Each structure stands twice: as C-alpha cells, then as structure tokens.
Amino acid sequence: MMNTLPMITDAQAGVGFKPQHANAILKGDHEISWFEVHPENYMGEGGMPHRLLTELRQHYGLSLHGVGLSIGGQTPLNKEHLARLAALNARYEPDLFSEHLAWSSHDEGYLNDLLPLPYTQATLDLVCDHIDEVQEAIGRPILLENPSTYVVFEQSQMSETNFLAAIARRTGCGLLLDVNNVFVSATNHQTSAEVYLAAFPVHHVGEIHLAGHASVTLSDGAELLIDAHDRAVSDPVWALYEALIGRIGPRPTLVEWDNDVPDFPILAHEAAQAQAVLRRHDPLLGRRHVA
Amino acid sequence: MLPDEGHHHSAFAAAVLDPERAVPEGVARANGRDPLEAFNVYRNNVVVSLAEALKSAFPVTSQLLGEGLQRALMADFARAHPPSSPIMSAYGAEFPHYLADHPATKARPFLADIARLERLKLDSYHAADAPVLDGSVLGRVPPEALAVGRLVPHPAMHLLSSAFPTASIFGLEQAAIAGQDVDAARSQINMATGEHALVTRPLFDVVVQPIALGAASFLRACGDGADFTGAVDAALEADPAFDLQQTLALALSSGSFSGFDPQLET
C-alpha cells in the first residue's frame, strides 16, 4: 500500500503545533511543511484534538515528541502508555518519533518535568533496556534527545556525549540534537558548547531542536540558564546551529516555543530563519516537499 | 558515601516535592558550588507545571478562588497529589474532593461541584467520537417500538446533580472570564437552589446547561441502561411535572444520544 501522506525531508524546518494556530495553519498561507506534537496531548479517545491532528496529517509531515515515557527512570516503563504510543504511531504514521534522555516518573507518581540522571554503566544498561522495549512496542526506531541540565552528578562515570553515543550504538536508536539544550547545559556547567558539539555522535542525528531560554542570576552571582521554551531562539544558539549544519549538512529542524506562545506568523518566521540556514548548506539546494 | 544507584531517583523525587528536604547526595554543580538553587529549578518546574495543568483544567474554579488562593491551593495539591499518569488532561480527579475538605474552601461547598463540573467538561471534550442521534430518525420509530427500545447515550454526555445552582454559576463565571459584565446576574443567583447540569458535545465544543429534574432523571436512567419506558417511568417518579416532548427535544438538540437500539428479540 502506497504511503500518500506528506513526509519530512532533511532540509525542512518545522514548528510545534499549537491548537490556537490551527486555522492559520490549515489556511495554508505559509511555508511550514511539518509539525511536531506531544503524543500525550492526543491520548483521549476522540473529539477536537484527534480531529485537528487528522486534518493536519493529511497536509503536513508529522513528528511525535513524547515527554511522559520516563526512559531514564528506575521504574518499569508504563505498559498502558507504551500501548497508547504504539496506537498513535499506527494511526498517524509520523515520520519522526522522539523522547528524552530524562526521567519523570517514580513511586510518587508522574512529576511532569524532565529530571536528570547520572551517566554510569548501570544507568546506561537501564536506558538501553528501556529503549529496546520502546522500539519493540512501537515497532520503529526512536530518536533520543539530549537534556537541558541544571545539576551534575558525582556518580557519573562518562560524558553525556559518550553516554548518548553508546546508547545509539547499542540500541540502533537515533538522536535528536537540541542545540538550545547544549547551550543551556554548557553555560550552567561552565563547559564549552562547541566542544560538546564537536564530540557529539552526529552521524546518528535524525532531527534538530532549536528553542529559547531564560536566564536567572543565582545568589553567588553565577548565571543559570533555564530551558523555558518561551521566547525566540538566541543569537549564540543560531550561531551554533549554523556551524553545525555547515559541518554535517541539513537535518529536519524544529523550532520549539511552548510557553507564551506567539501568533503563528512569529513562530513561522523563526522557522523561516532555520529554513534559510538549511538551504544555505543543502547540496540539493533545498529540495522541498510540496504539500 | 554516595547513595547506591537504586535509591537515587527516590531521594531526588522526594526532595523535588518537599522543599524542606536536603538536596540529595551526589547532586552537584560545576566547580564545587552550592547546588541548592540549581536543584530548586527542578522543584519550581515540577510544582509550577503541575499547578498550571490544574489551572487550565479548572479555569472557572480558578476564577472563583481568586489568584492568591488558586496559586496556594494548586501548588499544595500538586505537591501532595502528583499525577499517576503522564496524561495531563486526566490530572486533578481528586481536586474537587480536596476543595470539599480544605479549611480555606470548606465554607464554599459549591466550589467542589464547580470543579466536578469542569472535570466532566474535560471528559466530554476528549470522549470517543460517535454519531449524534437525529430527531428525524427517532421520529420515524413507531410508538410501540420506541417503548421497548433503548436510547443509547452519547459517550460525551455527562450529568451532574448538585445541591447548588452549579450550572448557572458556571455559565456566569465563564461569561465573566470572557469579559462580560455579570454583576447583575450574580446578584440574582439563589445559592439555596439545587441544579442539574447536562454536559454534551454536539459538534466539537462542549456545551454545559442547566436542565430540569425530570430531564436529568430521564437521561440518567438512559445512561444506566433503562429502556425508553423505564426511563420515562423513572423521570415521572422523580418529577410528576416531567415533560417528555420538551426533554426529548432538548436531549436530541444537545447531542445526548448516539443512537436508538430497538432491542429486538432474536
């Protein structure tokens, strides 16, 4: 059976789909060719959410970006949640499916945030087991996203880039490289974002995220960046992104703006900037899918 | 002495939810700086994101609580009752009960019912898709067949019976949130009257409206599996003034049924 759904290609920039933008998007008066959603927002049985997503999927490429699996967690994966993810994957046939290197659930319940884990042999084995289980349950490879972190762990035995490389090697999953997270974490840990990106196993990268961050000054005078997703992408992050694409070539790039969400044209403008970078470095000169 | 791997997340999760606890062992910041404020980012993120999920699930309850109380109660509830599932649209099932018991809101018991109504509205919004039974279809069923058949409730249809004028308060406060001037209408609300609220989703938007006792009893009986005659009997017993024609017209136009099952014996 031929797949006639629109597909995401390497040299395309997308944005997160927000229901308040549905009319503007479906009018079609823009250049965005794909959208990303959190599958957790589409786990009801029916109504408006599925109606919108079904309509969207007819015309645009789709990426599912999970937040609730707790892949880095020490509790078993939630089987019902996995089943719901598998059902959404079968129903909407997304081109990209991703989750986070983080945990969110423990005995207390689901904490609705992306919490950090140390990088040790034990956590590596646990994460790989979970990813094997996810890929088996959903029936496709997933992309794992590098986290924004505010603390480090004394227990860690390896670098985050080595940890991610080992996971990709062992499980066959891909990686989602969030350039804003790289910048936020590097600033917070007083390390170099450029060094991190140079060490990143880029051959596994299937998608890139860009987003905005907030800044607070701690009582000891140090700056802490917060992965707020509430504003435009910052200049240093654009610079890192341009250098990255220049090095590795185009990858599907998503602009994340989840809080204080602006009107659609502003969001589309951010994506257009990413699109321009992708075009500049595309050997095929930005071959685009016509929706 | 660093904690054993198996206990790491437990200590972290407990400390995230309880600001009185120390930062877990092993958690550090670059260059040996104090990790407390950095760890507090996670504390803040968790409570704020949960409280915001509650606020968006309970907008009218939030409006009635007022900003200060809403913030305090929702943060307190989030710490004490984190979700059990990553499906955030289902979060807050215990919130009405929390409001009913809490010292700050006990004196306003209608708040718990408003919160219950908002949960039903969300349930309706996400309910399975189903056809809406059309009046013309029902009109073609002969009376004797109607009597033994069963009106099938639509998955998005819900009812709330309250000792307070909950549906009216809800409608008023929604109008207030939308910027309308409702002071005059507010002064006319009689808190000593109970109401029955019907929640339906005829298209994709959820509709909440007050309905009569007889109508509520009829619909509740249909929801419990009664056949047409049984539902009419239940309605008349609850309210001798029950008006069948009016109730059917309301139920059909509001999308309360997804079909009619003739219940033919085979």
Side-chain angles (χ1 to χ4, degrees), chain B residues 94-119:
Chain B
E94 304 110 51
F95 191 62
H97 184 71
Y98 169 91
L99 289 177
D101 280 353
H102 199 284
T105 45
K106 268 175 109 111
R108 289 191 284 167
F110 69 93
L111 283 174
D113 274 353
I114 293 281
R116 284 186 186 101
L117 186 56
E118 299 207 90
R119 273 270 21 118

Side-chain angles (χ1 to χ4, degrees), chain A residues 17-278:
Chain A
F17 171 67
K18 303 299 171 196
Q20 62 262 42
H21 296 155
N23 288 336
I25 291 166
L26 292 167
K27 262 213 302 251
D29 213 358
H30 58 84
E31 309 258 291
I32 309 296
S33 51
W34 64 277
F35 294 89
E36 186 165 277
V37 303
H38 295 312
E40 289 77 12
N41 291 340
Y42 296 88
M43 288 181 170
E45 294 190 49
M48 189 62 105
H50 285 290
R51 181 187 173 283
L52 281 181
L53 194 55
T54 300
E55 173 95 28
L56 195 75
R57 188 69 186 97
Q58 295 308 308
H59 306 290
Y60 298 102
L62 181 68
S63 164
L64 293 185
H65 184 55
V67 299
L69 248 185
S70 198
I71 280 178
Q74 287 168 331
T75 48
L77 295 181
N78 182 322
K79 304 289 182 282
E80 285 87 30
H81 195 68
L82 270 179
R84 288 187 298 256
L85 289 172
L88 281 172
N89 185 66
R91 177 172 180 176
Y92 291 105
E93 296 179 82
D95 300 299
L96 299 170
F97 198 114
S98 52
E99 249 284 2
H100 294 84
L101 177 60
W103 60 281
S104 47
S105 285
H106 201 69
D107 299 328
E108 286 76 4
Y110 173 69
L111 299 177
N112 204 34
D113 193 25
L114 298 167
L115 301 171
L117 57 151
Y119 303 132
T120 67
Q121 191 56 53
T123 59
L124 177 61
D125 291 340
L126 189 57
V127 169
C128 287
D129 282 347
H130 284 166
I131 291 182
D132 285 341
E133 191 181 348
V134 176
Q135 297 189 136
E136 173 78 36
I138 301 178
R140 61 164 309 144
I142 67 167
L143 302 175
L144 192 67
E145 179 178 345
N146 58 296
S148 267
T149 52
Y150 310 107
V151 298
V152 293
F153 292 93
E154 287 161 3
Q155 301 98 314
S156 286
Q157 296 159 349
M158 61 189 103
S159 69
E160 189 172 282
T161 46
N162 283 352
F163 195 77
L164 286 165
I167 293 169
R169 254 193 330 265
R170 278 171 57 168
T171 65
C173 75
L175 297 175
L176 191 165
L177 176 48
D178 188 311
V179 180
N180 180 59
N181 288 356
V182 171
F183 184 73
V184 164
S185 299
T187 304
N188 291 344
H189 308 314
Q190 299 184 317
T191 53
S192 159
E194 285 86 352
V195 167
Y196 182 102
L197 286 169
F200 200 86
V202 290
H203 46 288
H204 293 296
V205 171
E207 184 186 342
I208 291 175
H209 270 187
L210 299 172
H213 56 258
S215 168
V216 296
T217 307
L218 302 185
S219 58
D220 63 7
E223 185 188 30
L224 196 76
L225 298 185
I226 313 249
D227 185 26
H229 291 187
D230 64 351
R231 65 197 71 186
V233 177
S234 71
D235 288 342
V237 173
W238 280 122
L240 289 170
Y241 175 65
E242 174 97 49
L244 175 70
I245 299 299
R247 177 160 63 102
I248 72 174
R251 292 288 188 283
T253 299
L254 183 92
V255 172
E256 275 187 307
W257 197 327
D258 301 319
N259 300 305
D260 289 343
V261 179
D263 288 341
F264 183 67
I266 296 174
L267 188 54
H269 179 72
E270 285 282 276
Q273 286 187 250
Q275 191 68 73
V277 173
L278 291 166

Side-chain angles (χ1 to χ4, degrees), chain B residues 15-27:
Chain B
V16 154
L17 287 173
D18 183 357
E20 303 295 303
R21 290 197 188 222
V23 174
E25 260 194 85
V27 171

Side-chain angles (χ1 to χ4, degrees), chain B residues 237-254:
Chain B
E237 202 184 307
D239 179 11
F242 170 62
D243 184 330
L244 176 62
Q245 291 309 324
Q246 211 173 63
T247 295
L248 279 178
L250 165 76
L252 289 164
S253 65
S254 62

Side-chain angles (χ1 to χ4, degrees), chain B residues 6-121:
Chain B
H7 298 296
H8 152 71
H9 286 4
S10 294
F12 201 106
V16 154
L17 287 173
D18 183 357
E20 303 295 303
R21 290 197 188 222
V23 174
E25 260 194 85
V27 171
R29 249 177 84 207
N31 304 332
R33 293 172 178 226
D34 184 347
L36 176 62
E37 284 172 72
F39 185 77
N40 282 344
V41 171
Y42 293 110
R43 282 182 164 137
N44 188 63
N45 281 353
V46 168
V47 171
V48 166
S49 71
L50 289 178
E52 286 194 355
L54 286 170
K55 187 175 174 187
S56 59
F58 297 100
V60 172
T61 309
S62 298
Q63 164 91 347
L64 287 164
L65 287 170
E67 197 176 329
L69 193 54
Q70 171 247 309
R71 270 184 213 248
L73 290 180
M74 287 180 172
D76 181 60
F77 179 86
R79 284 195 187 95
H81 302 276
S84 52
S85 145
I87 304 180
M88 290 308 290
S89 63
Y91 182 43
E94 304 110 51
F95 191 62
H97 184 71
Y98 169 91
L99 289 177
D101 280 353
H102 199 284
T105 45
K106 268 175 109 111
R108 289 191 284 167
F110 69 93
L111 283 174
D113 274 353
I114 293 281
R116 284 186 186 101
L117 186 56
E118 299 207 90
R119 273 270 21 118
L120 290 177
K121 189 171 176 234

